[in-house]
């Protein structure tokens, strides 16, 4: 390669390959191909879970216009019904019987998977929720009709468990609160001290 500059070779190569000759005699330069997110797919199109708490892992793949996977794209996951399944980073967790659609979104692209929760075993008659600083864990609870949920405070800040109707807790930093659910349905609650600190109880 002595005396033959590699850049010169590269430039010559590009010129030789680039574009075609237009009828007017000029040349049309070929634009370098910039990968653009073009499609998104989810690893499974449908999932069936058979008990609350069971998880399934989904993967979303974003591809560019030539079909090559793009690994650095941000994907957000949402569930159409968090009373049925929740989803975080592709991990789907069953909450209660029902069906829901899980959507993976990246920019303007989205893909969907249908998820069914079909539990053959009855929901438990008791459940426990931990009241941490600014989050209920778990945020979604399922119990049988007539069952009881007990919340236990473990954070350092003041919180409460406030339902839209019926019995709610005091605002406190420790202790517990229990409520028995004698009607079927889905009951959402929140901590009125911290906006966004929410949970739900599903009574089957
Ligand atoms: Cu709170």
């Amino acid at each position: 390669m002595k005396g033959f500059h590699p850049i010169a070779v590269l430039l010559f190569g590009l010129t030789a390959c680039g574009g075609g000759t237009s009828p007017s005699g000029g040349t049309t330069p070929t634009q370098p191909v910039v990968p653009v997110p073009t499609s998104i797919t989810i690893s499974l199109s449908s999932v069936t879970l058979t008990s609350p708490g069971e998880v399934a892992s989904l993967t979303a793949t974003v591809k560019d216009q030539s079909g090559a996977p793009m690994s650095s794209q941000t994907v957000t996951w949402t569930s159409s019904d968090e009373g049925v399944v929740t989803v975080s980073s592709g991990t789907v967790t069953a909450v209660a019987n029902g069906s829901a659609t899980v959507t993976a979104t990246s920019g303007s692209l989205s893909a969907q998977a249908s998820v069914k929760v079909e539990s053959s075993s009855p929901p438990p008659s008791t459940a426990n929720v931990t009241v941490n600083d600014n989050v209920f864990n778990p945020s979604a609870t399922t119990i049988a009709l007539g069952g009881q949920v007990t919340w236990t405070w473990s954070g350092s800040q003041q919180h409460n468990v406030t339902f839209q109707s019926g019995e709610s807790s005091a605002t406190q930093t420790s202790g517990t609160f229990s409520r028995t659910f004698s009607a079927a349905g889905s009951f959402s609650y929140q901590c009125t001290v911290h906006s966004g600190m929410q949970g739900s109880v599903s009574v089957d």
Side-chain angles (χ1 to χ4, degrees):
M1 290 300 279
K2 190 178 180 185
F4 211 73
H5 198 284
I7 299 278
V9 173
L10 180 63
L11 285 173
F12 176 77
L14 285 173
T15 307
C17 299
T21 305
S22 71
S24 61
T27 57
T28 309
T30 300
Q31 297 296 321
V33 178
V34 177
V36 175
T38 304
S39 70
I40 184 170
T41 53
I42 295 180
S43 51
L44 294 170
S45 59
S46 68
V47 179
T48 299
L49 300 170
T50 54
S51 63
E54 188 183 348
V55 299
S57 289
L58 301 178
T59 311
T61 304
V62 177
K63 291 182 176 176
D64 66 15
Q65 65 273 45
S66 66
M70 302 176 74
S71 59
S72 59
Q73 300 302 303
T74 301
V75 175
T76 56
W77 295 84
T78 54
S79 166
S80 64
D81 189 344
E82 299 205 328
V84 176
V85 289
T86 59
V87 61
S88 175
S89 302
T91 299
V92 178
T93 305
V95 176
N97 284 357
S99 40
T101 301
V102 166
T103 302
T105 304
S106 182
S108 61
L109 302 171
S110 67
Q112 300 184 319
S114 56
V115 182
K116 256 186 199 171
V117 180
E118 294 176 334
S119 172
S120 51
S121 58
S125 58
T126 60
N128 295 293
V129 177
T130 303
V131 182
N132 290 313
D133 281 332
N134 303 4
V135 66
F136 295 109
N137 184 29
S139 61
T141 302
T142 300
I143 54 165
L145 189 62
Q148 186 181 61
V149 179
T150 299
W151 286 262
T152 302
W153 272 246
S154 80
S156 58
Q157 298 185 42
Q158 287 201 326
H159 303 287
N160 58 53
V161 173
T162 300
F163 286 88
Q164 283 159 6
S165 66
E167 197 185 352
S168 295
S169 82
T171 299
Q172 55 196 37
T173 55
S174 62
T176 63
F177 165 70
S178 295
R179 179 171 163 171
T180 298
F181 293 83
S182 51
S186 184
F187 304 92
S188 58
Y189 63 90
Q190 60 174 324
C191 168
T192 59
V193 181
H194 303 105
S195 67
M197 185 172 169
Q198 297 170 325
S200 67
V201 175
S202 183
V203 182
D204 278 351

